[in-house]
Amino acid sequence: MAIVSTSTSAFFERSRSNLQDLRAQTEKLQAQLSSGKKLARSSDDPVAASRLRSLSRLESLSNIDKSNSQRVNADLTLADAAIKDMSTALVRAQELATQAASGTSNDAQRAAIGRELDSIYSTLMNLANARDSNGHALFGGESAGDAYSVDGAGNPVYVGTASSGSLSLGEGQTVSRSLTGPEFLSFTVNGTPTDLLSVVKDLGAALQGAAADPAGAARDGLDALKAGLDAMTTGQTVVGTRMAWIELTSDRRTNLSQLRSTEETEIGSTDIASTAASLQEALLVLEASQASFTKLANLSLFNKLG
């Protein structure tokens, strides 16, 4: 009788354990459907949980790189627009210098041209001191103040830093957020270093009486203005190349983010259709097991053995 009693006890224990396992399985499947996640805790699948954490870290870093890219792109867009406006002003300065160099212009006309060049110089100075997306000097490198100031003699002077700050685009890639003024406003004419702001300012003054030969000053100014336009065109090319590089890295970042998202879904997200089917199956098995256990427990043999 002791052996039979022990067997009966083992039957009940085994049945209870099986039912508990089935209930746990159904609860787990219900939780997955409710939360949309396969893993309730890391212990459910340590390897998968570790990979999900790694993917999350990579996505966080990618978001930082994305923010940097957006800032740099904004600053480069501002730089591109400012340089385009400078180029437009410079083309007008060339037209005026051509008129002043002509033998058909008189001193009064050249003086009027000089005054218009003064206005262009003021426009160029304002554009050279344009601000970036944070309100700092767009062409002043890492300076918070103006890129250019005026010295005691009234001449334009660059007061920014030697280089522009760089920001990370991810995967070891960086890009400068802008150009410094000297990178596209300074150049050499016949071996003599100069800058566009000084060229326009001095030409305006020369045509208003500062030069003994205003027409000759205008002809010399044309060479300097052409060299300045070439330097500015090179600057525009550099800015455009950086913007294209940002676009390329942004596209790559988007593709990698999509791949991570797909992997996260495959590893950690619930497949609603298959999980719902598994839950239905588990519920049916649980219901059948409970019914079978009840019938077996109520058999007369077990009642007698008990």
Side-chain angles (χ1 to χ4, degrees):
M1 293 296 291
I3 295 175
V4 174
S5 178
T6 300
S7 298
T8 302
S9 175
F11 163 76
F12 279 102
E13 184 62 33
R14 209 166 38 248
S15 297
R16 279 194 298 269
S17 178
N18 290 338
L19 289 173
Q20 288 173 350
D21 289 344
L22 285 169
R23 289 194 188 97
Q25 182 181 358
T26 57
E27 289 171 358
K28 179 179 179 180
L29 292 169
Q30 287 171 333
Q32 290 177 355
L33 286 173
S34 176
S35 66
K37 298 179 180 179
K38 289 181 183 179
L39 308 179
R41 57 185 67 84
S42 296
S43 58
D44 291 342
D45 189 336
V47 174
S50 176
R51 180 55 181 166
L52 287 173
R53 287 192 295 270
S54 177
L55 290 171
S56 179
R57 285 193 297 270
L58 289 172
E59 189 63 20
S60 296
L61 292 173
S62 176
N63 287 334
I64 294 173
D65 295 333
K66 179 180 178 180
S67 178
N68 287 342
S69 294
Q70 290 172 339
R71 181 193 166 189
V72 174
N73 191 65
D75 288 345
L76 288 173
T77 299
L78 291 172
D80 184 59
I83 295 175
K84 284 180 179 178
D85 289 342
M86 285 184 176
S87 297
T88 299
L90 185 56
V91 169
R92 177 55 182 165
Q94 285 182 308
E95 294 173 352
L96 293 171
T98 300
Q99 293 176 22
S102 171
T104 60
S105 295
N106 56 39
D107 289 344
Q109 291 171 326
R110 291 191 181 96
I113 290 173
R115 289 190 291 274
E116 186 172 347
L117 286 171
D118 286 346
S119 178
I120 291 175
Y121 165 71
S122 296
T123 297
L124 292 173
M125 277 290 287
N126 288 333
L127 290 170
N129 283 323
R131 300 292 167 171
D132 65 14
S133 56
N134 285 334
H136 296 162
L138 182 59
F139 300 116
E142 298 185 82
S143 172
D146 286 342
Y148 285 86
S149 66
V150 178
D151 64 17
N155 298 312
V157 178
Y158 179 70
V159 293
T161 62
S163 62
S164 298
S166 297
L167 290 176
S168 170
L169 299 179
E171 299 183 326
Q173 304 295 326
T174 61
V175 66
S176 296
R177 62 178 186 79
S178 184
L179 296 173
T180 64
E183 286 182 289
F184 71 101
L185 292 176
S186 295
F187 47 91
T188 300
V189 179
N190 298 323
T192 303
T194 187
D195 66 86
L196 180 63
L197 299 175
S198 296
V199 167
V200 175
K201 176 183 178 300
D202 293 344
L203 180 57
L207 296 179
Q208 294 178 78
D213 181 9
R219 287 190 291 273
D220 292 340
L222 279 170
D223 291 336
L225 290 173
K226 181 181 182 303
L229 186 58
D230 289 343
M232 194 171 292
T233 299
T234 299
Q236 281 183 290
T237 302
V238 171
V239 169
T241 300
R242 290 177 183 173
M243 293 175 71
W245 176 244
I246 291 172
E247 183 178 359
L248 180 64
T249 57
S250 295
D251 289 343
R252 174 172 169 75
R253 187 185 309 107
T254 298
N255 292 336
L256 289 175
S257 180
Q258 291 173 346
L259 290 174
R260 283 193 295 270
S261 179
T262 299
E263 186 176 355
E264 285 180 333
T265 298
E266 293 174 349
I267 294 175
S269 297
T270 301
D271 185 328
I272 301 299
S274 63
T275 303
S278 297
L279 176 60
Q280 184 63 32
E281 180 182 353
L283 288 171
L284 289 174
V285 173
L286 177 60
E287 183 180 354
S289 298
Q290 288 172 331
S292 297
F293 175 75
T294 301
K295 289 181 179 179
L296 287 171
N298 289 326
L299 287 175
S300 58
L301 174 59
F302 282 103
N303 289 333
K304 291 177 180 180
L305 293 175

